[in-house]
Amino acid sequence: MADSAAGKKLIRVDVSSDTICPWCLVGKRNLDKAIAASTDRFDFEIRWHPFFLNPAAPKEGMNKLQFYKDKFGPQLDGVVARMTEVFRGLGLNYNLSGLTGNTLDSHRLIYYAGKQGSDKQHNLVEELFLGYFTQAKYIGDREFLLECAQKVGLEGAAEFLDDPNNGLQEVMEELNNYSSNINGVPYYVLNGKVKLSGGQPPEAFLRAFDAASN
């Protein structure tokens, strides 16, 4: 267990997620709440790792609502009602308009942001989630990705994304190292030993912090 300069224990949280996973946004918001309530006891390092819910999704995108109709069939209304309620509890509007599709470029950008600091990466993930889930932005749209990068002060994003090979090997390595043995996201590993899955409430993270610090 590493200690910070202030004597607080450091908790590293490795998060496997996909940028089109609504429960990943829910989990992030609840994780953020738990962290905010624990900064007097712990320092945190959050690292985001890729997972592909639909690895065969087209890069050009497809109608989001139609995709969910095909996926959930008659259960869709219930799923949407549930997510709308959960998002409303976070002060957000759940938006099923626009396109969904391949998330590889977003994961390349998240990897790149991590090279400039875990805080910048964490903030970028938030912007990607908000745009996709509440503003009908397409997760594969280059301009949207660059807009998110600019909001968090990520330098060199355009040049990085322009070469489709940039970050590709690293994303695949992270996928293998962190996400190859899991079946769904979000998935959290705290200090390499405490594991959580799903959109956990803040209280679950608080308990996990205690367990991970021992």
Side-chain angles (χ1 to χ4, degrees):
M1 168 64 63
D3 290 343
S4 71
K8 293 187 287 186
K9 290 183 177 180
L10 176 66
I11 295 181
R12 171 171 169 141
V13 185
D14 289 289
V15 189
S16 293
S17 84
D18 200 357
T19 44
I20 57 170
C21 160
W23 287 107
C24 294
L25 171 55
V26 174
K28 180 190 177 296
R29 284 297 184 92
N30 289 338
L31 173 62
D32 287 343
K33 288 180 183 177
I35 288 174
S38 305
T39 53
D40 59 328
R41 300 176 57 211
F42 305 116
D43 285 327
F44 294 90
E45 180 184 356
I46 317 298
R47 289 290 180 179
W48 291 82
H49 307 290
F51 186 89
F52 295 102
L53 286 169
N54 189 8
K59 184 175 175 58
E60 64 272 16
M62 51 191 170
N63 183 275
K64 189 190 296 185
L65 182 58
Q66 186 59 51
F67 171 76
Y68 283 119
K69 284 180 178 177
D70 294 341
K71 180 176 181 179
F72 292 109
Q75 297 177 317
L76 179 62
D77 287 347
V79 171
V80 172
R82 172 63 174 148
M83 289 313 310
T84 300
E85 177 187 0
V86 171
F87 269 56
R88 188 179 296 124
L90 297 173
L92 301 172
N93 292 317
Y94 185 56
N95 190 330
L96 271 180
S97 303
L99 302 176
T100 188
N102 196 283
T103 59
L104 175 59
D105 283 349
S106 69
H107 287 300
R108 290 172 55 225
L109 189 64
I110 290 168
Y111 159 76
Y112 180 67
K115 301 287 284 183
Q116 296 185 24
S118 59
D119 287 346
K120 192 166 291 189
Q121 184 187 61
H122 194 66
N123 293 336
L124 175 68
V125 169
E126 174 81 6
E127 293 298 334
L128 293 170
F129 280 150
L130 289 179
Y132 178 76
F133 289 114
T134 71
Q135 301 162 20
K137 301 287 189 178
Y138 173 43
I139 200 67
D141 178 56
R142 181 179 181 275
E143 293 309 310
F144 167 56
L145 297 177
L146 294 181
E147 176 185 313
C148 293
Q150 183 178 20
K151 285 181 178 179
V152 303
L154 185 59
E155 300 176 0
E159 294 81 0
F160 181 82
L161 287 177
D162 281 347
D163 185 342
N165 290 316
N166 282 340
L168 182 60
Q169 179 180 341
E170 290 84 356
V171 166
M172 294 306 165
E173 287 176 352
E174 290 208 349
L175 185 69
N176 181 65
N177 291 338
Y178 292 95
S179 306
S180 60
N181 294 319
I182 62 177
N183 297 316
V185 287
Y187 189 81
Y188 312 88
V189 180
L190 287 73
N191 283 345
K193 58 183 180 180
V194 178
K195 300 173 182 178
L196 295 172
S197 62
Q200 297 285 343
E203 297 76 19
F205 287 113
L206 291 173
R207 291 191 296 269
F209 297 163
D210 286 333
S213 67
N214 293 326

